[in-house]
Amino acid sequence: MIWRKYCFIIAGAIIQGFAMGVFLFPHSIPSGGAGGITVLLNHWFNIPMSIGLWIVNASMLMVAVHYLGTESALGTLIGITITSLSVNFFEENVYIPYINSWFDLFIGSLILGIGVGTLLREGVSQGGIGILALIISRSRGIAPGKPLFWINGFIFVLTAYVINWQIVIQAVICQWLSTRVVDLIYELRIRNTLIALKLLPRKK
């Protein structure tokens, strides 16, 4: 049902925004390539994280509408808009006493993975550099993982050079932890689908 789909998109976007706004962005930890560009925009031009994140994701989405399709593009636009609004809300209204940047990295990465996984389950991209990597992969006939790795890697190194080299390590760890959670959510989806198929009445 369409309302159920968009409820999950909104929920996933809010969860993603919570992870970014409360745990990752306060330490300038990029959640991905788009997050790295957002951190740089904030550092260079003092653009608020929420607005910078929306600008980066929306610009990528405008380029990739042809590749995503209208319905998926609409869901992605809703997702990145809700994520940006959530980042702004949580940055201004939620305060968690500082404990340790590595602890926040761990918790934020897990929560981020839940949000991203929820969006991907609904066939919606979370935006960002993943869209650009998909375009390159289709035009070059290669797997998207390689361009995604190199683009994100370049952005992480640039962010680390400008702000702090520790960010590279934290960004890689964030990517690894969050993608593991995404995989778990996807496996859960596949398992539930298989169970549902088994319960369907068979034709005799």
Side-chain angles (χ1 to χ4, degrees):
M1 298 177 70
I2 192 67
W3 64 267
R4 178 184 178 277
K5 176 184 179 70
Y6 284 102
C7 282
F8 274 108
I9 290 174
I10 293 172
I14 291 174
I15 293 171
Q16 183 177 225
F18 176 72
M20 293 176 176
V22 176
F23 295 101
L24 300 177
F25 283 172
H27 302 289
S28 295
I29 300 173
S31 55
I37 297 175
T38 300
V39 170
L40 289 173
L41 290 175
N42 176 262
H43 180 78
W44 284 331
F45 306 109
N46 201 31
I47 297 176
M49 293 285 196
S50 56
I51 296 176
L53 183 65
W54 191 90
I55 292 173
V56 173
N57 282 325
S59 62
M60 294 291 178
L61 179 62
M62 293 298 291
V63 175
V65 168
H66 174 71
Y67 294 89
L68 293 173
T70 304
E71 183 179 350
S72 182
L74 176 61
T76 300
L77 179 61
I78 293 173
I80 62 177
T81 301
I82 296 297
T83 296
S84 298
L85 292 174
S86 298
V87 169
N88 183 68
F89 174 81
F90 290 122
E91 279 184 333
E92 294 186 357
N93 296 283
V94 176
Y95 171 74
I96 295 180
Y98 176 79
I99 299 177
N100 181 278
S101 63
W102 293 98
F103 176 82
D104 285 352
L105 168 66
F106 178 75
I107 299 299
S109 299
L110 295 181
I111 298 173
L112 178 69
I114 294 172
V116 172
T118 302
L119 291 172
L120 293 177
R121 278 185 61 174
E122 300 305 318
V124 169
S125 170
Q126 77 276 24
I129 302 303
I131 296 175
L132 182 59
L134 180 60
I135 295 174
I136 294 174
S137 72
R138 291 187 178 184
S139 63
R140 299 275 183 172
I142 59 177
K146 185 173 290 186
L148 181 62
F149 173 81
W150 286 110
I151 296 171
N152 278 347
F154 172 77
I155 294 172
F156 289 159
V157 170
L158 178 61
T159 305
Y161 175 77
V162 172
I163 300 177
N164 189 329
W165 280 103
Q166 178 177 289
I167 290 175
V168 168
I169 300 174
Q170 292 179 322
V172 170
I173 293 175
C174 177
Q175 287 284 289
W176 186 84
L177 285 174
S178 61
T179 51
R180 297 290 76 76
V181 176
V182 169
D183 288 344
L184 288 174
I185 292 176
Y186 243 87
E187 289 173 6
L188 179 63
R189 177 197 183 194
I190 294 172
R191 191 178 304 117
N192 289 341
T193 302
L194 291 174
I195 292 173
L197 289 174
K198 289 180 180 179
L199 293 176
L200 288 175
R202 299 182 179 179
K203 294 182 179 180
K204 296 183 179 180

